[in-house]
Amino acid sequence: MSFTEKKLSSSRVFDGRIFKVERDEVELPDGSHSFRECVRHSGGAAVLFNRDGKIALVRQFRYLYGEELYEIPAGKLNEGERADVSALRELEEETGFRAKKIIPLAEIYPTPGYTDEIIHIFYVDEAQFCGQNLDEGEFLNVEFFSVGEVGAMIDDGRIKDAKTIIGFYRFKEKFFR
Amino acid sequence: MSFTEKKLSSSRVFDGRIFKVERDEVELPDGSHSFRECVRHSGGAAVLFNRDGKIALVRQFRYLYGEELYEIPAGKLNEGERADVSALRELEEETGFRAKKIIPLAEIYPTPGYTDEIIHIFYVDEAQFCGQNLDEGEFLNVEFFSVGEVGAMIDDGRIKDAKTIIGFYRFKEKFFR
């Protein structure tokens, strides 16, 4: 049985810098009508950077949660930008490390009930230090942790960010089993 | 060094059924001003339900991605509702299985750049079938897969949903190592 929902109309209700919001009227599988509230996002790119057995985490204040979070380096895709290009750019901007070789680890849907964002997660283990180069208004620290430490931080809830947790487990699946 | 951002003012730009959007003016650590676009969400609850070694996945059309996704049973917290209560309610509504004992697996931040949603993931392995009871306008199928099958579906990208992937790896960490 197919559960497809058909778009009947769409109205843009917010036009932001990070995302847009649309409210679409849809036809449901039983023919009835409903509305879907849609956060439209250009997508994200993230990198698990393994430097000689240590994983780079950025610690930054996240306004939405009012706390500092540990996350792998990541950012928003520029319009039309390839995810791997974006990931390498963010890695260099945030950590100062420039890499050439990048390996896909996962593509994830962070919360499919209301956003269309796809987060592309990559793996890097060879990079050269060239100097951090943050965006204006971006403030963060870069710290390196062993594989065991990152696992423990997930276990005890110090790491809560979805892309970071998935990047770490995909990395372990790929290289440690 | 502290990177706290201070709220200066907030304006509600969208007032939806699933989420609200606010645009806040903030003071950055260097004293400059900027804006933060905030999706405000009441939170989510999800359950990894293990029935005699098989894991329940719901297959449903997700309008935001225009495709059917496999996800663990989940839903939105009602205002003021406890996450474990919500998780048991969603499990019963979506799969028809009623459980009493529920174990926390993880709390995750799905995409911290623009939403404040916390997804609470739980584990259940004892439940009785009482009959599915879907919300109006909700259409989904429930299917059971072995632990090996779910692992393979994550490996090959058939499962992309973040809470499902994290729930599965937390379950494996907790019970299989």
Side-chain angles (χ1 to χ4, degrees), chain A residues 25-40:
Chain A
E25 187 172 7
V26 300
E27 186 180 299
L28 301 181
D30 65 0
S32 66
H33 291 191
S34 188
F35 289 91
R36 295 284 175 238
E37 299 166 7
C38 309
V39 174
R40 300 287 182 188

Side-chain angles (χ1 to χ4, degrees), chain A residues 1-5 7 13-14 16-19 21 23-24 26 28-30 35-41 59 61-65 67-69 71 107-119 137 139-141 154-155 160-163 165-166 169-170 172-173 177, chain B residues 1-5 7 13-14 16-19 21 23-24 26 28-30 35-41 59 61-65 67-69 71 107-119 137 139-141 154-155 160-163 165-166 169-170 172-173 177:
Chain A
M1 178 181 169
S2 166
F3 293 146
T4 304
E5 298 172 359
K7 186 198 287 198
V13 293
F14 175 65
R17 198 173 53 87
I18 308 299
F19 59 83
V21 178
R23 186 164 179 273
D24 290 6
V26 300
L28 301 181
D30 65 0
F35 289 91
R36 295 284 175 238
E37 299 166 7
C38 309
V39 174
R40 300 287 182 188
H41 187 278
R59 180 166 58 83
F61 184 82
R62 285 300 204 172
Y63 181 73
L64 271 296
Y65 294 101
E67 59 187 277
E68 287 188 357
L69 302 186
E71 299 168 54
E107 283 185 9
I108 64 166
Y109 296 173
T111 183
Y114 59 90
T115 178
D116 68 357
E117 181 183 12
I118 299 173
I119 303 177
F139 301 88
L140 52 81
N141 277 317
I154 293 173
D155 287 345
K160 290 200 164 76
D161 172 54
K163 65 181 173 298
I165 299 172
I166 294 173
Y169 284 129
R170 296 303 300 156
K172 276 186 67 180
E173 285 284 310
R177 82 171 172 184
Chain B
M1 181 180 167
S2 165
F3 293 147
T4 304
E5 298 173 359
K7 187 199 285 197
V13 294
F14 176 65
R17 198 172 54 84
I18 308 300
F19 59 82
V21 179
R23 186 165 180 274
D24 292 5
V26 300
L28 300 181
D30 66 359
F35 288 92
R36 296 285 175 241
E37 298 166 8
C38 308
V39 175
R40 299 288 182 187
H41 187 279
R59 180 165 57 83
F61 185 82
R62 286 300 205 171
Y63 180 74
L64 271 296
Y65 294 102
E67 60 185 276
E68 288 187 355
L69 302 187
E71 299 167 55
E107 284 185 11
I108 64 165
Y109 295 173
T111 181
Y114 59 92
T115 178
D116 68 358
E117 182 183 11
I118 299 173
I119 303 177
F139 301 88
L140 51 82
N141 277 317
I154 294 173
D155 287 345
K160 290 200 166 75
D161 171 53
K163 65 182 171 298
I165 299 171
I166 293 173
Y169 284 128
R170 294 305 298 157
K172 276 185 68 180
E173 286 283 310
R177 81 171 171 184

Side-chain angles (χ1 to χ4, degrees), chain A residues 52-144:
Chain A
D52 303 328
K54 297 264 189 177
I55 293 168
L57 295 181
V58 302
R59 180 166 58 83
Q60 68 182 311
F61 184 82
R62 285 300 204 172
Y63 181 73
L64 271 296
Y65 294 101
E67 59 187 277
E68 287 188 357
L69 302 186
Y70 281 107
E71 299 168 54
I72 56 175
K76 188 176 175 295
L77 300 191
N78 293 327
E79 215 56 59
E81 188 180 34
R82 259 175 43 196
D84 57 344
V85 173
S86 170
L88 289 173
R89 180 175 48 72
E90 292 289 348
L91 177 66
E92 183 171 345
E93 285 175 8
E94 294 189 353
T95 70
F97 281 91
R98 183 178 298 168
K100 285 180 186 145
K101 198 174 144 205
I102 186 164
I103 299 168
L105 273 185
E107 283 185 9
I108 64 166
Y109 296 173
T111 183
Y114 59 90
T115 178
D116 68 357
E117 181 183 12
I118 299 173
I119 303 177
H120 305 261
I121 308 174
F122 296 92
Y123 175 76
V124 160
D125 60 11
E126 283 174 51
Q128 278 209 304
F129 190 72
C130 304
Q132 204 186 27
N133 174 27
L134 298 176
D135 286 341
E136 210 184 297
E138 195 170 35
F139 301 88
L140 52 81
N141 277 317
V142 182
E143 300 171 30
F144 286 85

Side-chain angles (χ1 to χ4, degrees), chain B residues 37-55:
Chain B
E37 298 166 8
C38 308
V39 175
R40 299 288 182 187
H41 187 279
S42 61
V47 184
L48 192 131
F49 172 36
N50 169 19
R51 189 186 182 216
D52 303 328
K54 297 263 190 177
I55 292 168

Side-chain angles (χ1 to χ4, degrees), chain B residues 18 27 40 66 75 78 82 95 115 147 154 163 171 174:
Chain B
I18 308 300
E27 185 180 301
R40 299 288 182 187
N78 293 328
R82 259 175 40 197
T95 70
T115 178
V147 174
I154 294 173
K163 65 182 171 298
F171 157 71
K174 204 171 175 98

